[in-house]
Amino acid sequence: MHKHMLKLARFMAAAGGLVLTLLILLTCLSISGRLLNGFFHGDLMGSVAPDFAEWMIAIGVGPINGDFELVEAGVAFAIFAFLPLCQITSGHASVDILVDNFPKRVNRFLRMVTEIVFAAVLVLIAWRLAAGLVSKLYNGETSFLLQFPIWWAYAASLVAAVVAAIVGVYMGAVRTIEFLTGRILVWDGVETEQ
């Protein structure tokens, strides 16, 4: 089961990485276009090569219309897409100054409680995203510039959030079994033998 959950988490992280890469390219192209547009509208190009400057502006050299809308929607998906891998590999930030000195059983209890709380929060987020998706779907709200339906971004984020919730619940169950049995089921580098 763990192997399948890990594959699912890695797939989601790869999808999030792909989306982030595309958003970076989009942002770079938009910023470059904005700079070139300003350059072609400037006094230097107006005096040195006005016909070329007008031609470049006419073919559409400039910022990408609605880039911030696409970045907003894409980053929301990417954040949720990275959560499952972070959850299953214990990649969340933690401060272990005090707990390192606790007995093994106390540390396992704390890990179990933390995983259960994470799972509950991820389920809550997925549930509220689903409610937001239904709301946006029925009210027909669209983005300002590109006029794409807002529910598309909610739907993409919901898929990633549901996967995060599933992985979170799985890890909560794993840590609960580990606490109850005293055996380590998933080695992640955080568990220590004391």
Side-chain angles (χ1 to χ4, degrees):
M1 176 89 160
H2 186 71
K3 189 182 290 187
H4 296 298
M5 287 292 181
L6 191 57
K7 279 184 182 179
L8 181 61
R10 286 183 175 151
F11 172 77
M12 289 305 299
L18 177 64
V19 168
L20 268 184
T21 301
L22 293 173
L23 292 176
I24 290 168
L25 291 172
L26 172 77
T27 302
C28 290
L29 286 172
S30 187
I31 291 170
S32 299
R34 186 173 286 116
L35 289 172
L36 285 172
N37 187 278
F39 177 69
F40 292 133
H41 275 94
D43 292 336
L44 177 65
M45 285 304 290
S47 61
V48 174
D51 292 335
F52 178 71
E54 286 179 30
W55 178 73
M56 290 299 283
I57 293 167
I59 64 169
V61 172
I64 296 172
N65 188 32
D67 58 345
F68 64 91
E69 293 174 350
L70 295 172
V71 168
E72 182 179 26
V75 167
F77 167 78
I79 288 169
F80 288 113
F82 292 133
L83 281 175
L85 187 61
C86 194
Q87 191 71 22
I88 204 165
T89 60
S90 296
H92 296 292
S94 65
V95 180
D96 298 332
I97 295 172
L98 185 61
V99 297
D100 282 344
N101 298 320
F102 290 165
K104 181 170 48 172
R105 184 120 173 104
V106 173
N107 279 332
R108 284 191 180 158
F109 175 76
L110 290 174
R111 288 193 77 192
M112 176 189 71
V113 170
T114 302
E115 293 289 352
I116 290 170
V117 169
F118 262 121
V121 169
L122 291 171
V123 168
L124 176 67
I125 289 170
W127 170 50
R128 297 315 305 157
L129 260 175
L133 169 63
V134 169
S135 171
K136 299 299 179 190
L137 183 63
Y138 287 118
N139 75 15
E141 185 178 344
T142 61
S143 65
F144 182 69
L145 293 175
L146 297 178
Q147 297 294 303
F148 70 82
I150 297 294
W151 72 265
W152 291 355
Y154 274 76
S157 295
L158 179 61
V159 169
V162 166
V163 171
I166 290 168
V167 171
V169 168
Y170 165 73
M171 288 308 296
V174 165
R175 297 302 176 211
T176 301
I177 293 168
E178 286 181 350
F179 174 72
L180 295 175
T181 64
R183 294 179 329 164
I184 298 171
L185 300 176
V186 176
W187 284 93
D188 55 17
V190 177
E191 184 70 47
T192 60
E193 284 292 330
Q194 291 180 330

